[in-house]
Amino acid sequence: MKEFIFPCRDTVVHPGMTLPLYVDNPISIACIESAVPNGGRLVLAPQHSTAYPTDVADIYNYGTICNIAQVLHMPDGALNIVVQSTDVVKITDICVNNGVFSGDIECIPMMDDMSDEKTIILRDKIFATIQAMSLFRKFKVDKLRSVIQNYPLPAFVDSVIQSAEMDTDSAVNVLITPSWYEKMIILLEKVRVIYETAKVEDSINRRISTQMEQGRRDAILQEKMRAIQKEMGEDDEEADSVSMRKKIEQSPMPDEVKEKAISEWKRMRNMSPMSNEGGLIKTYLEELLAMPWGKSDSGDIDLNVARKILDAEHSGMRPIKERILEHIAVMKKTGSVKGSILCLVGAPGVGKTSLCKSIANALGRKYHRISLGGVSDEAHFRGHRKTYIGSQPGRIMDALKRAKSNNPVIVLDEIDKMGRDWRGDPESALLEVLDPEQNHAFRDHYLEVDFDLSNVMFIATANSLNMSGALKDRMEIIEIPGYSEDEKVQIAREHLIARAAADTGWDVAKINISDDAIRHVIRKYTAESGVRQLQRELTAILRRRLLENNGEDTPTEFTIQKIDELLSIQQSAGFSKRIGFGVGL
């Protein structure tokens, strides 16, 4: 004979228990009313899902047979019933009729070992584990202790399952286990897993809480320290912030730049002292204030002084110096550097870079050199945006900051050696810098404000004309040819001998070398357009002579024979430098 089945959501009832049930679903009420005339027997079967009413496939194949001890009809039609569970049963051939489930049952025999010593020991271990777990999770340990003292073992099992919030599958697995000892083993395993998990979660939560508390504690202490320093008149951070605000307001920077600086300063003030972004903004404002807004080298241009400086520092090069003086004359007349950008082109050693230094001295301006050899990144000129770690202004803005002037002479050295790759085209950024129609509002990626470069005098140097047409179109090319032999002798007499003496510690008055001896060095030991190799050979002669005299610079006449004697030792250690000879060809 089929027994009526009462599906239960999230409830697994063990045998030997008395429990009340509140029934308000019409289908469930019909099930109770059908079971009461049929001997009052009812099978409480758990279901997989929480949907109700359910279907046949959703009901577990195991349940608990119960006797309905009491039925109380409520005024609203609901039922309050009391059932007493007796045995665990296996359910088969489940069917449904008008929403009421029924099926065949088979009792599963249960070993009566509730009072065995091993079972009791396992029960106590389960309770001890839950009691230890109450340090990490909220468990009603007192209620569980009361169940142990006043109720049989099935009530303890049910309380553990509810307290540990075990899933229905685990609860059914405990239900169908044929002995109470084995039920205790399964429960202990489940409780131990929950305990270890809770311990790990508690450790993580404590670590997170400690870090948060430490951060909150540090912030509170920082605020208290600032309050104490403010009362004592020693609030350095507040003073620095106020001082920076005053510097911004007193700075001669344009209004739009000052507006951005004030906006960033307000953002910095509203940030926590522990914020990393606050430090980045402070660095940005310091860079902005370090720029030479409205600071110029205001020396008057004197063409006679400029001519004297160029003649004193460079021998020969008459056409080149005249073209430079023409450029300076236009600057004196117009009061600006707008016009042609000079590009000095010549072989290495002809004096391009030193000529640029002389121009800066002639104008009374700061000098800064930017080497472009191998540069292939556009950020080299435009800088990096503030969002990048380690960002900083580009070389143009850095040169102005170091010069502390908005009208220095900036030399773009080896402009023909620039590269180009996936990081960008630096030549495009340089075109804007060299264009007088655009460079009055040059925008650096880091500073993010416009800076007027129209007062800067840019001079480029190159070894060849291997440049793009757009770049050559921006500049006036001045080719510096190689020096003649007479010019080299004059340069050596006026500049190189004194420089070699300074490099080697000689008293220049003790050096006696004729023009013929200098010509001999030029003809036999150098083969270049410039004078760098001549400089090295003169230095080598003085070094060898110092070695011969035990480091003393005794007065010496450097004849042709003496020069050959000194330089032959150096050549024997290297290779022949005779013109027209090649080694290894």
Side-chain angles (χ1 to χ4, degrees):
M1 179 180 177
K2 291 185 178 293
E3 299 287 349
F4 290 101
I5 299 173
F6 186 87
C8 302
R9 291 173 294 186
D10 302 327
T11 302
V12 177
V13 180
H14 284 75
M17 294 184 62
T18 300
L19 69 157
L21 295 175
Y22 176 78
V23 183
D24 61 353
N25 185 278
I27 296 177
S28 300
I29 292 174
C31 178
I32 300 298
E33 291 177 345
S34 300
V36 170
N38 193 27
R41 285 163 57 90
L42 191 67
V43 178
L44 299 183
Q47 64 183 56
H48 291 279
S49 67
T50 57
Y52 202 83
T54 185
D55 54 25
V56 174
D58 196 42
I59 298 176
Y60 279 87
N61 293 327
Y62 297 94
T64 309
I65 188 74
C66 302
N67 294 320
I68 301 175
Q70 182 179 352
V71 178
L72 179 62
H73 293 269
M74 305 299 292
D76 59 355
L79 298 178
N80 267 334
I81 67 173
V82 178
V83 296
Q84 296 174 338
S85 58
T86 57
D87 297 291
V88 180
V89 297
K90 181 178 181 181
I91 307 171
T92 58
D93 193 20
I94 301 175
C95 61
V96 60
N97 183 19
N98 294 327
V100 178
F101 294 91
S102 62
D104 296 328
I105 63 171
E106 177 185 353
C107 288
I108 298 176
M110 183 72 61
M111 187 182 298
D112 187 13
D113 57 351
M114 291 186 188
S115 302
D116 287 358
E117 184 179 357
K118 295 189 295 183
T119 305
I120 299 301
I121 291 173
L122 288 177
R123 182 201 66 182
D124 294 341
K125 284 187 176 181
I126 293 172
F127 176 74
T129 304
I130 291 179
Q131 192 172 23
M133 194 166 28
S134 64
L135 298 174
F136 312 132
R137 286 189 178 182
K138 293 182 179 180
F139 288 100
K140 297 180 180 179
V141 181
D142 294 338
K143 179 181 177 182
L144 200 59
R145 184 182 293 107
S146 175
V147 170
I148 292 175
Q149 295 172 353
N150 303 317
Y151 295 92
L153 196 58
F156 174 78
V157 173
D158 183 71
S159 297
V160 170
I161 290 174
Q162 292 183 15
S163 299
E165 298 179 353
M166 290 188 186
D167 57 275
T168 306
D169 288 340
S170 299
V172 171
N173 187 31
V174 174
L175 175 68
I176 64 177
T177 302
S179 72
W180 292 100
Y181 174 74
E182 293 177 353
K183 291 178 188 288
M184 293 297 105
I185 290 176
I186 296 174
L187 283 178
L188 182 59
E189 291 176 351
K190 296 290 184 181
V191 170
R192 289 292 300 179
V193 170
I194 296 173
Y195 170 71
E196 295 298 333
T197 304
K199 190 160 63 171
V200 172
E201 290 179 353
D202 180 73
S203 176
I204 294 172
N205 292 336
R206 284 178 181 273
R207 189 179 301 124
I208 294 174
S209 177
T210 301
Q211 292 175 354
M212 294 179 64
E213 288 296 329
Q214 184 66 31
R216 190 178 299 112
R217 175 177 173 274
D218 291 344
I220 293 173
L221 289 177
Q222 287 282 352
E223 289 298 328
K224 286 185 177 180
M225 186 180 295
R226 290 178 61 185
I228 294 172
Q229 289 175 341
K230 189 173 182 179
E231 289 296 326
M232 297 178 64
E234 299 177 356
D235 191 358
D236 295 337
E237 187 173 342
E238 183 69 21
D240 289 345
S241 179
V242 173
S243 174
M244 182 171 288
R245 174 65 183 258
K246 291 181 179 179
K247 289 179 181 178
I248 294 173
E249 292 175 345
Q250 296 172 1
S251 172
M253 60 179 65
D255 293 339
E256 60 272 13
V257 179
K258 188 174 295 185
E259 182 178 348
K260 179 175 178 57
I262 293 295
S263 175
E264 293 291 330
W265 179 84
K266 290 179 179 178
R267 283 184 59 208
M268 181 185 71
R269 279 293 300 271
N270 293 331
M271 289 181 178
S272 167
M274 307 298 293
S275 171
N276 290 332
E277 190 176 358
L280 295 177
I281 296 177
K282 183 178 180 181
T283 303
Y284 169 76
L285 292 175
E286 289 173 349
E287 290 286 346
L288 209 59
L289 288 170
M291 295 304 298
W293 305 100
K295 297 179 182 178
S296 304
D297 292 327
S298 56
D300 295 331
I301 297 176
D302 189 328
L303 289 174
N304 293 326
V305 173
R307 185 184 297 275
K308 288 180 181 179
I309 292 175
L310 292 176
D311 288 339
E313 297 181 359
H314 291 83
S315 301
M317 305 175 67
R318 181 59 52 191
I320 310 301
K321 290 190 284 190
E322 289 297 323
R323 176 61 189 90
I324 293 172
L325 289 171
E326 291 173 5
H327 192 84
I328 296 176
V330 173
M331 292 173 57
K332 178 180 176 65
K333 176 63 177 176
T334 61
S336 71
V337 296
K338 290 185 178 180
S340 301
I341 305 294
L342 301 182
C343 179
L344 307 181
V345 180
V350 297
K352 301 184 296 298
T353 304
S354 60
L355 190 59
C356 296
K357 290 183 180 179
S358 300
I359 294 174
N361 293 336
L363 294 173
R365 297 190 179 189
K366 302 290 193 312
Y367 167 85
H368 195 89
R369 172 180 165 271
I370 299 176
S371 178
L372 304 182
V375 172
S376 58
D377 190 355
E378 180 187 358
H380 188 84
F381 298 112
R382 291 191 180 276
H384 301 82
R385 299 195 182 277
K386 297 197 297 293
T387 52
Y388 294 103
I389 296 176
S391 57
Q392 58 185 359
R395 290 288 299 275
I396 301 295
M397 295 294 104
D398 184 66
L400 292 172
K401 182 181 71 174
R402 293 175 183 274
K404 299 181 180 179
S405 169
N406 64 5
N407 64 342
V409 175
I410 295 181
V411 177
L412 305 173
D413 207 9
E414 296 183 335
I415 197 172
D416 57 327
K417 302 294 193 306
M418 279 193 305
R420 177 188 300 180
D421 62 10
W422 55 271
R423 288 172 292 184
D425 182 9
E427 185 176 296
S428 299
L430 199 56
L431 290 176
E432 179 184 351
V433 172
L434 298 178
D435 192 341
E437 300 299 325
Q438 301 182 47
N439 65 8
H440 64 277
F442 178 77
R443 180 175 287 258
D444 185 89
H445 286 163
Y446 180 83
L447 298 179
E448 296 179 339
V449 292
D450 293 339
F451 195 94
D452 186 4
L453 299 180
S454 60
N455 295 321
V456 180
M457 183 176 183
F458 290 101
I459 305 176
T461 69
N463 295 135
S464 67
L465 293 175
N466 185 23
M467 295 175 280
S468 67
L471 197 56
K472 286 190 285 189
D473 184 61
R474 294 292 199 282
M475 303 180 294
E476 179 176 349
I477 307 298
I478 300 178
E479 295 192 23
I480 302 179
Y483 298 111
S484 66
E485 186 176 286
D486 291 338
E487 288 176 331
K488 289 182 180 180
V489 172
Q490 184 180 359
I491 293 172
R493 181 65 64 189
E494 296 178 358
H495 304 286
L496 301 186
I497 295 176
R499 192 177 303 169
D503 292 342
T504 56
W506 272 78
D507 182 358
V508 71
K510 298 179 180 180
I511 301 173
N512 184 7
I513 184 170
S514 64
D515 290 350
D516 290 337
I518 297 174
R519 290 181 193 274
H520 178 71
V521 175
I522 294 170
R523 292 171 183 173
K524 187 174 181 179
Y525 299 99
T526 67
E528 58 172 350
S529 300
V531 291
R532 282 183 183 167
Q533 186 62 36
L534 178 58
Q535 171 76 53
R536 285 192 285 267
E537 298 298 340
L538 292 173
T539 304
I541 292 170
L542 298 181
R543 284 201 312 266
R544 293 300 307 175
R545 183 57 180 163
L546 280 178
L547 181 59
E548 288 183 350
N549 291 338
N550 197 24
E552 296 295 331
D553 56 339
T554 58
T556 305
E557 180 179 359
F558 292 95
T559 61
I560 294 176
Q561 292 78 15
K562 187 62 176 178
I563 289 172
D564 286 338
E565 177 187 342
L566 295 173
L567 293 181
S568 62
I569 300 175
Q570 179 180 342
Q571 285 194 355
S572 63
F575 55 87
S576 176
K577 298 181 181 178
R578 286 178 294 168
I579 301 172
F581 282 78
V583 179
L585 296 180

